[in-house]
């Protein structure tokens, strides 16, 4: 049993950040939720006063590619809808989990592949359909992502985002949870269901154990042990120690087993009835003697080991039909005969409890009905806080678990100790200053040359970093001015990788900067229309990733802003710019008469709980991706869309992922788009057949084009898959530099967008929808 339980689900860490100022100064920027004035009174951050300014914070960041771990100064986060900003007072290093994350990152590419054969299979499938180069770029982009460490912290609320007014208040202390949210960072932006108030008398150091406590508590609940029953805890790390205390507090007789005698002594001090060293002989006999020959009613595996020994031990000491709950990450080969003869049940505990890994619950603040789900992850976190504040006899003791304390400035030393095991350790606390020294702003270069495209980018998710930003970096005449992302670690890393002059988490730094004359919007779909309208209203040209809006109202907002703007907009319908699509269009222009087009899209499955499938956030796959093919049909037809009719196959998860849509064009052309998630990803994703005037064009996944006329076929390739991203970005940048006009008729882009909305209308009504667009 190594240092303690590795909470396996928490290895998928994300990103976050902060900001601050010296005592007596008002903090500026999105992370500056409050300051402490000379009278030690809390002053809330004024978003209007500080809008457009960027401040920085310290955060522990690791490179997913090299494994290098550093404390970096990164831009501060802002409190989004349903979020609070928390100035950290303390965070807890989870030795087992975080050692596993760091060691995985340090592995070679071959080592990573060996540990994750499931991902290797996906990579090979992508290479088969999209080509080697596109796959390599995607893999390297993901490996280049900075990993924020930490998931259990506590601090003070400094700002309350929209929708949480009255639920939290500035100055309130909270425990926070979540990988990629409750990071080792001076400020964190956290959704409401991953925060719980800290009672009076509980320190930030104690509250920083909240998430680990919730993990242990949920595992204990899974065992459902009753008063007087006997439970064995295998592994006396942080999770095991806290689980043993929860069991003892609920009247369950607790046996703790480990190889580390010092940890066993600590468990005994904290209330375990019996502690057994696994190095000794007679473990099974000792347990039988303690349980009147029955064996344990439950076994909680909280060990961190690649060995399957914990399951072997569990089988030996369990009573007939006992429960075995696994909360640590250990080997999983269990002795079948022993488990079968005793009819043992195995439960794998889900991290902090119900709600974990549910985007609706964690990110969108949805509540579960208490009558059906009493103990969610939020309630488990709250219960840990209550037990920390309880009278001494019922109090949860975590102070005894603290072995080391480090300031955030010296976090690298803390991780070196944890990773190299230079000395025994248990709970390692990182502490944070009440205020932060100012970080000098980077000097911007001289004013741009006349005619340059001075670009601000809002949003830098996986797609932007893998596809858009690398292409922008190659373009001449483009000045990468400011990058704004939600998470500061991501902004900082992308700034270094792609050469932006400034990085921020405040979109106002882009929208309000007069030096910037063009904006790329690459955020989630629900913000596209608003950001496009804001940028246009500021006189900037906009390249907005599809879709322009989730509904007619949002499209109208963007369109109205364009009518009063000196800038133009372009939607990221990149397939128009694919070399083979351009060649196909050139062939079609030679042919008079209508076209008959059949598009087959083997889109692949996306889970129903993905943000893309959420109607309010992603809009679903018709809005989010099918729009590409509607616009491509418009491009090939060269004629306005006049009507749309659609039907959908029944889908088990309720999403409209399998759709057939027929578009009729003004010149009599027809296009049928068959979009499905039911196929095998090994088959090429996109296939387009076009029939016109005795000619047949077949465009295969933007890798090859055949043109057949009079029995003769000409074949064309583009040297690998090319979907036109580079061409679309180049056209936009050149149009900005030239002062316009837009590379594509904006009315045509609006038409494609409204035709996409009409697909949904047709599915709802079962009728053909006449567009009747007044452009």
């Amino acid at each position: 049993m190594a240092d303690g339980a590795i909470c396996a689900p928490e290895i998928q860490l994300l990103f976050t950040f902060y900001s601050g100022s010296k005592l007596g100064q008002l903090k500026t920027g999105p992370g500056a939720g409050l300051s402490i004035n000379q009278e030690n009174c809390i002053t809330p951050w004024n978003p209007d006063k500080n809008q457009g300014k960027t401040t920085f914070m310290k955060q522990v960041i690791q490179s997913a590619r090299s494994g290098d771990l550093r404390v970096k100064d990164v831009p501060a986060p802002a409190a989004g809808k349903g979020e609070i900003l928390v100035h950290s007072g303390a965070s807890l290093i989870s030795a087992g989990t975080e050692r596993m994350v760091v060691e995985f990152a340090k592995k070679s590419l071959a080592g990573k592949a060996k540990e994750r054969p499931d991902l290797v299979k996906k990579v090979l499938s992508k290479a088969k359909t999209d080509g080697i180069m596109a796959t390599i770029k995607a893999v390297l982009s993901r490996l280049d992502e900075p990993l924020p460490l930490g998931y259990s912290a506590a601090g003070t609320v400094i700002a309350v985002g929209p929708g949480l007014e009255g639920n939290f208040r500035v100055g309130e202390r909270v425990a926070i949870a979540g990988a990629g949210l409750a990071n080792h960072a001076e400020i964190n932006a956290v959704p409401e269901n991953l925060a719980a108030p800290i009672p009076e008398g509980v320190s930030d150091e104690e509250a920083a154990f909240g998430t680990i406590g919730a993990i242990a508590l949920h595992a204990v609940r899974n065992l459902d042990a009753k008063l007087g029953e006997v439970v064995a805890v295998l592994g006396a790390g942080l999770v095991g120690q806290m689980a043993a205390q929860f069991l003892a507090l609920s009247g369950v007789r607790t046996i703790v087993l480990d190889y580390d005698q010092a940890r066993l002594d600590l468990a005994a001090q904290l209330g375990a009835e019996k502690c057994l060293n696994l190095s000794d002989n007679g473990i099974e006999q000792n347990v039988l003697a303690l349980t009147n020959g029955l064996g344990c009613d439950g076994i909680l595996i909280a060990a961190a080991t690649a060995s399957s020994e914990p399951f072997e031990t569990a089988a030996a000491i369990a009573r007939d039909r006992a429960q075995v709950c696994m909360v640590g990450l250990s080997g999983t080969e269990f002795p079948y005969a022993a488990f079968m003869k005793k009819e043992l049940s195995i439960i794998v505990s889900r991290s902090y409890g119900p709600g974990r890994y549910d985007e609706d619950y964690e990110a969108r603040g949805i509540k579960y009905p208490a009558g059906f789900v009493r103990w969610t992850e939020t309630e488990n976190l709250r219960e840990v806080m209550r037990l920390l504040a309880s009278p001494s006899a019922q109090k949860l003791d975590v102070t005894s678990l603290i072995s080391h304390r480090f300031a955030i400035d010296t976090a690298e030393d803390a991780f070196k100790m944890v990773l190299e095991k230079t000395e025994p350790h248990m709970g390692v606390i990182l502490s944070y200053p009440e205020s932060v020294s100012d970080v000098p702003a980077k000097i911007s270069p001289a004013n741009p040359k006349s005619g340059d495209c001075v670009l601000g980018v809002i949003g830098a998710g996986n797609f932007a970093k893998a596809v858009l930003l690398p292409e922008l970096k190659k373009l001449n005449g483009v000045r990468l001015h400011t990058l704004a992302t939600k998470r500061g670690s991501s902004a900082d890393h992308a700034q270094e990788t792609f050469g932006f002059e400034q990085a921020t988490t405040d979109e106002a730094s882009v929208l309000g900067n007069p030096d910037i004359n063009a904006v790329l919007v690459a955020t989630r779909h629900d913000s596209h229309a608003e950001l496009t309208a804001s940028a246009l209203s500021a006189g900037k040209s906009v390249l907005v990733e599809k879709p322009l809006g989730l509904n007619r109202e949002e499209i109208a907002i963007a369109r109205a802003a364009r009518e009063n703007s000196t800038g133009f907009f372009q939607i990221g319908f990149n397939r128009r710019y694919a070399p083979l699509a351009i060649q196909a269009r050139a062939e079609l222009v030679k042919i008079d008469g209508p076209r008959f087009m059949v598009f087959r899209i083997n889109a692949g499955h996306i889970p129903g709980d993905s943000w893309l499938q959420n109607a309010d956030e992603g809009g679903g796959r018709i809005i989010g991706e099918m729009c590409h093919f509607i616009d491509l049909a418009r491009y090939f037809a060269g004629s306005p869309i006049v009507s749309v009719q659609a039907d959908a196959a029944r889908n088990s998860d309720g999403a409209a992922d399998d759709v057939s849509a027929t578009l009729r064009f003004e010149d009599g052309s027809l296009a049928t788009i068959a979009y499905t998630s039911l196929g095998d990803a090994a088959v090429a994703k996109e296939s387009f057949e076009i029939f016109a005037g005795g000619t047949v064009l077949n465009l295969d996944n933007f890798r090859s084009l055949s043109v057949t006329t009079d029995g003769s076929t000409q074949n064309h390739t583009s040297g690998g898959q090319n979907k036109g991203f580079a061409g679309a970005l180049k056209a936009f940048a050149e149009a900005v530099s030239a002062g316009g006009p837009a590379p594509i008729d904006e009315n045509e882009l609006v038409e494609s967008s409204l035709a996409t909305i009409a697909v949904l209308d047709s599915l709802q009504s079962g009728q053909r929808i006449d567009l009747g667009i007044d452009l």
Side-chain angles (χ1 to χ4, degrees):
M1 313 291 171
D3 286 303
I6 294 176
C7 307
E10 303 314 310
I11 67 172
Q12 301 186 16
L13 301 174
L14 315 173
F15 341 99
T16 208
F17 24 66
Y18 148 102
S19 156
S21 73
K22 297 178 181 177
L23 183 65
Q25 295 177 330
L26 181 65
K27 298 178 182 180
T28 61
L34 82 158
S35 67
I36 302 176
N37 61 29
Q38 298 297 346
E39 288 74 37
N40 293 319
C41 296
I42 293 174
T43 305
W45 171 56
N46 183 337
D48 296 325
K49 182 175 180 179
N50 295 290
Q51 193 173 41
K53 299 180 181 179
T54 300
T55 47
F56 291 79
M57 68 168 183
K58 294 191 184 301
Q59 181 173 357
V60 178
I61 301 291
Q62 184 185 29
S63 166
R65 181 183 295 185
S66 67
D68 291 340
L69 187 148
R70 296 164 57 194
V71 177
K72 297 193 67 177
D73 291 304
V74 300
K81 181 181 179 182
E83 292 181 334
I84 54 175
L85 274 187
V86 179
H87 182 182
S88 299
S91 63
L92 176 66
I93 295 178
S94 174
T97 300
E98 296 187 57
R99 182 185 298 114
M100 178 180 172
V101 173
V102 173
E103 288 178 348
F104 178 80
K106 288 180 177 290
K107 290 180 183 292
S108 65
L109 193 57
K112 290 182 173 76
K114 185 177 179 180
E115 285 213 5
R116 294 298 306 273
D118 56 322
L119 296 182
V120 173
K121 184 177 179 181
K122 289 182 180 179
V123 168
L124 293 175
S125 177
K126 181 176 176 64
K128 191 179 295 184
T129 57
D130 293 352
I132 297 294
M133 290 308 299
T135 303
I136 289 174
K137 287 180 181 178
V139 170
L140 292 180
S141 174
R142 294 301 295 269
L143 286 176
D144 203 37
E145 189 64 49
L147 290 175
L149 298 179
Y151 59 91
S152 190
T156 303
V157 176
I158 59 174
V160 178
L164 295 187
E165 301 87 348
N167 293 354
F168 294 92
R169 67 181 188 280
V170 169
E172 180 179 12
R173 294 191 308 126
V174 291
I176 55 177
L181 296 168
N183 303 312
H184 300 309
E186 290 183 284
I187 289 286
N188 289 296
V190 183
E192 65 168 319
N193 282 348
L194 290 173
I198 300 174
E200 287 294 326
V202 177
S203 69
D204 283 353
E205 283 191 348
E206 292 174 302
F209 282 79
T211 308
I212 305 296
I215 292 169
L217 183 56
H218 182 58
V220 168
R221 293 192 195 286
N222 276 325
L223 282 177
D224 195 25
K226 306 296 192 299
L227 181 71
E229 291 186 337
V230 179
V231 169
V233 177
L234 304 185
L238 285 175
V239 172
Q241 295 280 0
M242 297 187 76
Q245 288 193 64
F246 290 133
L247 289 163
L249 287 171
S250 59
V252 176
R253 301 171 62 196
T254 309
I255 306 171
V256 179
L257 301 93
D258 203 297
Y259 286 103
D260 188 321
Q261 189 57 47
R263 293 188 169 194
L264 291 172
D265 293 342
L266 178 59
Q269 173 191 324
L270 295 176
E273 180 175 332
K274 189 74 174 178
C275 294
L276 301 175
N277 195 310
L278 288 164
S279 300
D280 298 337
N281 295 322
I283 296 295
E284 184 177 352
Q285 289 74 18
N286 272 320
V287 171
L288 290 173
L290 191 69
T291 59
N292 294 323
L294 285 177
C296 294
D297 300 286
I299 294 92
L300 194 152
I301 298 176
T305 175
S307 165
S308 295
E309 179 190 342
F311 279 96
E312 296 166 2
T313 303
I317 65 175
R319 69 160 167 82
D320 189 66
R321 304 191 73 194
Q323 296 273 6
V324 179
C325 179
M326 179 180 176
V327 66
L329 185 62
S330 74
T332 54
E333 293 184 6
F334 64 92
Y336 171 77
F339 268 66
M340 180 270 294
K341 289 175 181 177
K342 290 186 176 181
E343 203 172 32
L344 303 180
S345 300
I346 301 174
I347 303 168
V348 180
S349 192
R350 179 172 50 192
S351 197
Y352 332 149
R356 191 73 182 109
Y357 313 115
D358 181 346
E359 276 285 299
D360 284 335
Y361 184 87
E362 292 192 332
R364 303 180 186 106
I366 300 299
K367 308 296 185 186
Y368 294 159
F372 292 89
V373 186
R374 172 63 181 89
W375 291 106
T376 61
E377 58 182 333
T378 312
E379 291 304 312
N380 281 335
L381 188 60
R382 286 177 177 269
E383 180 63 9
V384 173
M385 293 303 106
R386 186 189 72 82
L387 290 171
L388 287 170
S390 296
S392 57
Q394 295 86 36
K395 182 180 175 64
L396 177 66
D397 181 359
V398 296
T399 303
S400 298
L401 301 178
I402 300 174
S403 63
H404 294 79
R405 294 176 174 87
F406 292 84
I408 182 62
D409 291 340
T410 61
E412 292 173 26
D413 295 333
F415 275 93
K416 182 178 181 180
M417 179 196 71
V418 169
L419 294 173
E420 298 179 6
K421 304 180 184 179
T422 54
E423 55 185 279
H425 57 271
M426 176 71 76
V428 181
I429 289 286
L430 296 182
S431 62
Y432 300 82
E434 292 184 3
S435 59
V436 181
S437 298
D438 295 333
V439 177
K442 297 181 181 179
I443 299 174
S444 297
N447 290 331
K449 295 179 293 184
S450 177
D452 273 359
C453 173
V454 185
L455 187 67
V457 176
I458 303 177
N462 293 329
F463 171 72
K465 283 181 287 194
V467 178
L468 301 180
L469 298 184
E471 295 296 342
L472 282 169
K473 186 178 180 180
K474 300 175 187 175
L475 293 178
N476 293 323
V478 175
R479 177 181 162 195
L480 299 179
H481 190 289
T482 300
L483 173 67
T485 70
K486 181 173 175 57
R487 304 296 180 192
S489 56
S490 182
D492 175 76
H493 180 73
Q495 179 186 18
E496 293 180 355
T497 302
F498 301 108
F500 282 86
E501 297 164 21
Q502 297 177 24
T504 182
T505 57
D506 186 9
E507 61 200 31
S509 297
V510 172
L511 299 174
N513 192 317
D515 290 341
I516 294 173
N517 59 9
V519 175
L520 168 63
V521 176
T523 56
R524 290 191 174 185
H525 301 166
D526 57 330
S527 60
H528 283 189
E530 181 182 355
L531 290 172
T532 298
S534 296
L536 288 168
S537 298
K540 307 178 192 304
S541 294
V542 183
L543 173 55
V544 55
E545 260 307 307
K546 52 76 191 168
L548 176 60
L550 299 184
N551 50 54
R552 287 187 177 82
E553 292 73 19
E554 290 188 0
I555 293 171
I557 289 170
R559 188 175 169 190
R562 169 63 184 90
E563 290 173 357
N564 298 301
S565 176
T566 56
F568 64 84
F569 72 84
Q570 177 180 331
I571 302 174
F573 292 141
N574 51 280
R575 284 162 176 77
R576 285 173 171 252
Y577 290 93
L580 293 179
I582 293 171
Q583 192 163 359
R585 169 69 182 261
E587 295 289 339
L588 289 168
V589 167
K590 303 173 188 176
I591 304 171
D592 293 329
R595 292 86 165 87
F596 186 87
M597 297 176 277
V598 179
F599 294 1
R600 189 273 297 153
I601 314 302
N602 179 29
H605 177 69
I606 292 180
D609 60 357
S610 166
W611 71 268
L612 288 165
Q613 301 280 34
N614 183 273
D616 296 328
E617 195 170 4
R621 300 184 77 180
I622 293 172
I623 295 293
E625 189 182 36
M626 196 173 180
C627 59
H628 268 308
F629 311 109
I630 291 171
D631 182 72
L632 188 62
R634 174 64 175 87
Y635 174 66
F636 286 148
S639 177
I641 304 169
V642 295
S643 69
V644 175
Q645 185 156 14
D647 203 351
R650 292 188 181 275
N651 192 302
S652 59
D653 61 10
D657 284 359
D658 305 288
V659 178
S660 174
T662 300
L663 314 179
R664 181 176 294 278
F665 297 84
E666 191 174 71
D667 69 349
S669 295
L670 280 177
T672 296
I673 303 172
Y675 183 96
T676 181
S677 65
L678 299 177
D680 189 319
V683 176
K685 180 182 176 184
E686 300 172 24
S687 176
F688 310 91
E689 285 188 314
I690 306 171
F691 304 83
T695 296
V696 179
L697 292 85
N698 192 320
L699 176 57
D700 182 20
N701 212 28
F702 297 99
R703 300 183 74 179
S704 66
L705 170 68
S706 67
V707 182
T708 302
T709 304
D710 295 330
S712 176
T713 299
Q714 292 182 324
N715 295 307
H716 309 272
T717 63
S718 59
Q721 188 182 58
N722 187 332
K723 291 186 178 181
F725 295 110
L729 293 167
K730 185 172 184 286
F732 175 73
E734 289 177 348
V736 171
S737 296
I744 307 170
D745 183 348
E746 292 154 286
N747 292 316
E748 194 171 315
L749 297 177
V750 169
E751 179 188 318
S752 295
S753 300
L754 291 174
T756 304
I757 303 294
V759 172
L760 293 178
D761 293 340
S762 180
L763 290 175
Q764 291 170 350
S765 67
Q767 304 294 318
R768 185 180 70 186
I769 305 299
D770 294 321
L771 263 60
I773 300 173
D774 179 14
L775 298 174

